[in-house]
Amino acid sequence: MDSDKLVQLLIDLVGTDKVSTAGSVIEEHSIDKWLVGHPPDVVVFAESTADVVAVMEFASQQEVAVTTRGAGAGYVGGAVPVKGGIVISVARMNAIREINTDDGVAIVEPGVITGDLQEAVRKQGWFYPPDPASLKECSIGGNVATNAGGPHCLKYGVTRHYILGLEVVLADGSVARLGGRCHKDKTGFDLIGMFVGSEGLLGIVTEITCRIIPHPPARAMLSASFQSFADAAAAVQAVLGGGFLPAALEISDKFTLNAARDHVGSGLIPEGQSHLLVEIDGQAESVNSEIRAVGSLLNDLGCLTLETAENEAGCEAIWEIRRAFSYSLRATGLTKLNEDIVVPRGKLVELVAFCEQLQQQCGMPIACFGHAGDGNIHVNIMVDGIDDPVVRVRSDEALDCLFREVIRLGGRISGEHGIGIAKKRWFDGAIDSGALDLHQRLKVALDPKDILNPGKFV
Ligand SMILES: Cc1cc2nc3c(=O)[nH]c(=O)nc-3n(C[C@H](O)[C@H](O)[C@H](O)COP(=O)(O)OP(=O)(O)OC[C@H]3O[C@@H](n4cnc5c(N)ncnc54)[C@H](O)[C@@H]3O)c2cc1C
């Protein structure tokens, strides 16, 4: 269908103010936070489930591609409409419909910004734990579609563990309401699990019932530095093996620390070649005793420096060190290919040793930091001149080597960000052939005309 006709029919369906082809709107909806974009023909700003249903019924009849967009803060090109067609933005569906602490639920529209939900729940003394670093800009719908995680997922689990109910509009415009406000539910298949992480390929999420839990009243933190990455990784195992389950356990390597020293000043970043951040939360008395016990454990393990924070300001100052890492790597002026790979926790040292060897081989620096407790390390290949095709081939070769090694170690090519288009090339080789076939069969069953987010990994 020609573009003008498509736009007119959509205006007839949902109204002029919800449909745009303005240059700036098309540009904004062509790309997320990854490198490559593609323009849609038109953007529809849905304001209700009824709008989404109308667009999908129409798109299904006309066989027009539809790509859903939350906040566009994805790291893998998931919201990029590679086949053009319609981008359906749920950004205007941003109401928090209900927070009910008696039931331990929050019911939200998909465009709600994750940080806004956390704050609203926190005001009532409750907690929505999944905490992607992008939480001030990403949406809950996007988090559901990517099964987002973050530092606190070591203790609290990822987005999937906080989704009790979903309303989903399917490719043909039909609506399915899954789960509800009960914290346990074994009434049929785990269909919620099928949609969480489906990256907009199986349906469009239009309402989410989230599980919320009481907010721990106290927290304290440790910032420890070590002579080597291996020492810090050994400390991770010792903390967990010692019977402690920190709220967060974050590790960084020497390239990351040096970049942070250059960017924020060496006074703020402790000496040493590796850094460990430990957060303990819970009731004040147990936090006090646990933080001391973990601190003395780290001392016994020979950490070079150890700082303890027992109040909010001190904890935030330690988190600032962690938050500085990403910005410091960007400040190097190199392009950061951030690969959120995950390996079994016992393989962390092997992984980082491999990355040190890989950087010699490919001639590009590699920075590793992230969620040590989960084995989910962000491996950042730092590329100089990414627009140069020769450099691009070399960086792709480095990624080939990295992903091959991750798979050899029993790991996965994405722990958080998803596959999108960024990792499409590696997807088939990264999962079992039976699992790949199941992905394809599900896609065909739910979206036989391949109109939902086409051109991606299934
Ligand atoms: C600085 C930075 C830090 C980050 N840190 C983390 C991190 O710590 N942990 C982490 O997990 N991720 C992280 N990310 C990646 C990203 O923020 C997450 O993937 C996030 O969940 C994307 O949400 P979004 O609303 O921006 O989704 P979008 O980018 O808009 O979309 C992402 C995917 O979800 C689909 N989608 C969006 N909304 C819906 C919906 N309502 N129904 C169906 N499909 C939908 C899209 O089609 C697309 O495939 C980071 C990104 C940045 C830029």
Short mmCIF file of all heavy atoms in Angstrom, two decimals, residues 16 51 74 88 114 152 162 176 193 228 266 303 345 348 386 388:
data_model
loop_
_atom_site.label_atom_id
_atom_site.label_comp_id
_atom_site.label_asym_id
_atom_site.label_seq_id
_atom_site.Cartn_x
_atom_site.Cartn_y
_atom_site.Cartn_z
N THR A 16 -6.50 12.19 13.73
CA THR A 16 -5.31 12.90 13.23
C THR A 16 -4.23 13.08 14.27
O THR A 16 -3.04 12.92 13.98
CB THR A 16 -5.71 14.34 12.78
OG1 THR A 16 -6.94 14.27 12.10
CG2 THR A 16 -4.64 14.96 11.91
N ASP A 51 -7.04 1.61 20.64
CA ASP A 51 -6.23 2.12 19.51
C ASP A 51 -5.32 1.01 18.97
O ASP A 51 -5.16 0.85 17.76
CB ASP A 51 -5.32 3.29 19.97
CG ASP A 51 -6.11 4.57 20.20
OD1 ASP A 51 -7.25 4.67 19.71
OD2 ASP A 51 -5.55 5.46 20.87
N GLY A 74 16.35 0.96 24.11
CA GLY A 74 16.93 -0.36 23.91
C GLY A 74 18.35 -0.26 23.35
O GLY A 74 18.70 0.72 22.70
N ILE A 88 4.20 1.69 16.27
CA ILE A 88 3.16 2.03 17.23
C ILE A 88 3.86 2.37 18.54
O ILE A 88 4.55 1.54 19.13
CB ILE A 88 2.10 0.91 17.33
CG1 ILE A 88 0.94 1.37 18.20
CG2 ILE A 88 2.62 -0.38 17.86
CD1 ILE A 88 -0.34 0.58 17.92
N THR A 114 10.05 3.39 34.07
CA THR A 114 10.36 2.47 35.18
C THR A 114 10.67 3.23 36.47
O THR A 114 10.16 2.88 37.55
CB THR A 114 11.56 1.58 34.79
OG1 THR A 114 11.29 1.04 33.50
CG2 THR A 114 11.80 0.48 35.77
N HIS A 152 20.22 -5.04 41.19
CA HIS A 152 19.50 -5.65 42.32
C HIS A 152 18.86 -7.00 41.98
O HIS A 152 18.21 -7.62 42.83
CB HIS A 152 18.46 -4.67 42.86
CG HIS A 152 19.11 -3.54 43.61
ND1 HIS A 152 19.08 -2.24 43.19
CD2 HIS A 152 19.88 -3.54 44.72
CE1 HIS A 152 19.77 -1.48 44.02
NE2 HIS A 152 20.28 -2.24 44.96
N TYR A 162 8.48 -10.20 38.51
CA TYR A 162 7.60 -9.16 39.06
C TYR A 162 6.38 -8.92 38.18
O TYR A 162 5.70 -7.91 38.34
CB TYR A 162 8.40 -7.86 39.30
CG TYR A 162 9.37 -8.11 40.43
CD1 TYR A 162 10.61 -8.69 40.17
CD2 TYR A 162 8.99 -7.94 41.75
CE1 TYR A 162 11.46 -9.04 41.20
CE2 TYR A 162 9.82 -8.29 42.79
CZ TYR A 162 11.05 -8.85 42.50
OH TYR A 162 11.87 -9.21 43.54
N ALA A 176 -5.67 -10.76 24.70
CA ALA A 176 -5.60 -11.83 25.71
C ALA A 176 -5.21 -11.20 27.04
O ALA A 176 -4.27 -10.41 27.10
CB ALA A 176 -4.55 -12.86 25.30
N GLY A 193 5.23 -15.84 30.82
CA GLY A 193 6.64 -16.11 30.56
C GLY A 193 6.95 -16.12 29.06
O GLY A 193 8.05 -15.76 28.65
N SER A 228 43.95 -7.72 41.65
CA SER A 228 43.66 -8.29 40.32
C SER A 228 42.18 -8.64 40.21
O SER A 228 41.49 -8.78 41.23
CB SER A 228 44.48 -9.57 40.11
OG SER A 228 43.98 -10.57 40.97
N SER A 266 41.37 10.64 39.81
CA SER A 266 41.84 9.42 40.48
C SER A 266 41.52 9.45 41.98
O SER A 266 41.43 8.41 42.61
CB SER A 266 43.34 9.25 40.25
OG SER A 266 43.99 10.46 40.51
N CYS A 303 41.92 -7.46 50.44
CA CYS A 303 41.59 -6.32 49.58
C CYS A 303 42.55 -5.17 49.87
O CYS A 303 43.08 -5.04 50.97
CB CYS A 303 40.13 -5.90 49.78
SG CYS A 303 39.74 -5.34 51.42
N ARG A 345 28.70 -18.22 36.86
CA ARG A 345 29.52 -17.34 37.71
C ARG A 345 30.95 -17.86 37.92
O ARG A 345 31.91 -17.10 38.00
CB ARG A 345 28.82 -17.15 39.05
CG ARG A 345 29.28 -15.95 39.80
CD ARG A 345 28.42 -15.66 41.00
NE ARG A 345 28.23 -16.84 41.82
CZ ARG A 345 27.03 -17.28 42.22
NH1 ARG A 345 25.94 -16.65 41.90
NH2 ARG A 345 26.94 -18.37 42.96
N LEU A 348 33.85 -16.51 35.51
CA LEU A 348 34.15 -15.08 35.35
C LEU A 348 35.63 -14.81 35.06
O LEU A 348 35.97 -14.02 34.19
CB LEU A 348 33.77 -14.33 36.63
CG LEU A 348 32.33 -13.84 36.76
CD1 LEU A 348 32.16 -13.03 38.03
CD2 LEU A 348 31.95 -13.01 35.55
N ILE A 386 34.42 3.53 14.11
CA ILE A 386 33.43 2.48 13.80
C ILE A 386 32.82 2.63 12.40
O ILE A 386 32.36 1.66 11.81
CB ILE A 386 32.32 2.46 14.89
CG1 ILE A 386 31.38 1.25 14.78
CG2 ILE A 386 31.47 3.72 14.86
CD1 ILE A 386 31.91 0.00 15.33
N ASP A 388 34.35 3.30 9.70
CA ASP A 388 35.26 2.78 8.68
C ASP A 388 34.94 1.28 8.47
O ASP A 388 34.98 0.48 9.41
CB ASP A 388 36.70 2.96 9.20
CG ASP A 388 37.74 2.38 8.25
OD1 ASP A 388 37.37 1.55 7.40
OD2 ASP A 388 38.91 2.76 8.38
#
